[in-house]
């Protein structure tokens, strides 16, 4: 039922975007339309990166605001286990799908899945990794935000009903924007996309 509602919302967004595109087809070429959409992908990905960092810092602050800097605290040993447990429950009972991170998932999407990444990857990787990292798990935020950016690009391209080449371009724009946002290094994002 929930998947049906998500699908319906996605179709409504696609219909609005396509109506706007038809009205402005004479004024905006296909190249400019993709450029405009890639700009939106960059903004959405930057917001996702900011959200990831904000959630991580908020969780860290809530858990450790009363800790003394001079004393050792045994809760530092328990928090990572709790965070991983919460993440596993989130994946198993809420997401109910693989949310594996990393470049390999992006490369698989490009090579085998026509550059399509599932819609839930636009937010599930951020939430799961933020809880894990916020509770002190020894993982990085780079791979989840790169997958999130790529998923944002892929899904915005699906909404706009772009072809495979354009969809791949938007997927790479999202991945590059994610690297640029998380490392504060836009040139690194461009080089990363060229690598992909």
């Amino acid at each position: 039922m929930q998947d049906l509602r998500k699908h319906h919302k996605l179709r409504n967004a696609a219909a609005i975007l396509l109506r706007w595109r038809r009205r402005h087809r004479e004024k905006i070429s296909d190249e400019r339309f993709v450029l405009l959409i890639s700009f939106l992908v960059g903004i959405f990905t930057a917001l996702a990166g900011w959200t990831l960092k904000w959630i991580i810092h908020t969780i860290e602050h809530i858990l450790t605001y009363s800790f003394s800097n001079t004393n050792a605290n045994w809760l530092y040993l328990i928090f990572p286990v709790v965070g991983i447990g919460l993440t596993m429950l989130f994946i198993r009972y809420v997401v109910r799908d693989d949310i594996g991170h990393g470049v390999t998932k992006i490369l698989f999407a490009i090579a085998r899945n026509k550059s399509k990444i599932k819609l839930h990857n636009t937010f599930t990787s951020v939430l799961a990794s933020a809880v894990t990292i916020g509770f002190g798990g020894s993982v990085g935020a780079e791979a989840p935000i790169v997958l999130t950016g790529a998923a944002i690009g892929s899904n915005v391209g699906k909404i706009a009903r772009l072809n495979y080449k354009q969809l791949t371009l938007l997927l790479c724009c999202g991945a590059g924007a994610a690297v640029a946002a998380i490392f504060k290094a836009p040139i690194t994002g461009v080089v990363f996309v060229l690598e992909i």
Side-chain angles (χ1 to χ4, degrees):
M1 185 70 170
Q2 215 172 34
D3 289 336
L4 186 63
R5 273 186 249 150
K6 285 180 188 175
H7 183 68
H8 184 66
K9 287 180 184 178
L10 191 62
R11 279 186 32 217
N12 286 342
I16 291 168
L17 183 65
L18 292 173
R19 266 188 261 129
W20 181 87
R21 175 71 179 128
R22 271 187 241 116
R23 269 188 275 141
H24 297 89
R25 187 170 279 287
E26 298 83 35
K27 298 176 192 173
I28 300 173
S29 67
D30 287 342
E31 292 81 18
R32 288 189 182 187
F33 181 66
V34 171
L35 187 63
L36 176 68
I37 293 202
S38 65
F39 178 73
L40 292 175
V41 167
I43 289 173
F44 294 149
T45 302
L47 288 172
W50 178 84
T51 303
L52 175 65
K53 284 185 172 184
W54 180 79
I55 293 172
I56 290 169
H57 292 300
T58 302
I59 292 172
E60 285 175 356
H61 178 72
I62 289 170
L63 294 176
T64 62
Y65 77 95
S66 64
F67 289 3
S68 171
N69 289 338
T70 57
N71 297 333
N73 198 315
W74 61 273
L75 288 174
Y76 280 122
L77 299 173
I78 295 173
F79 284 156
V81 175
V82 172
I84 291 169
L86 290 172
T87 301
M88 287 174 51
L89 290 173
F90 173 70
I91 293 168
R92 178 170 287 169
Y93 296 109
V94 177
V95 178
R96 297 181 187 165
D97 192 15
D98 175 33
I99 63 166
H101 314 303
V103 179
T104 54
K105 192 151 184 163
I106 296 169
L107 293 174
F108 180 81
I110 292 171
R112 301 285 173 115
N113 206 15
K114 299 179 184 175
S115 293
K116 294 180 180 174
I117 299 176
K118 293 181 180 177
L119 181 63
H120 73 77
N121 286 116
T122 59
F123 62 91
T124 54
S125 294
V126 168
L127 293 175
S129 62
V131 170
T132 303
I133 297 167
F135 274 81
S138 61
V139 294
E142 298 80 20
I145 197 62
V146 166
L147 178 61
T148 299
I152 289 170
S154 175
N155 284 285
V156 169
K158 281 194 284 188
I159 289 171
R161 295 191 182 155
L162 300 178
N163 62 38
Y164 170 72
K165 185 178 176 184
Q166 295 167 330
L167 197 62
T168 303
L169 179 65
L170 284 183
L171 182 146
C172 290
C173 285
V179 169
I182 206 76
F183 290 117
K184 297 180 184 167
I187 294 173
T188 305
V190 172
V191 172
F192 176 72
V193 167
L194 292 174
E195 250 180 73
I196 291 178

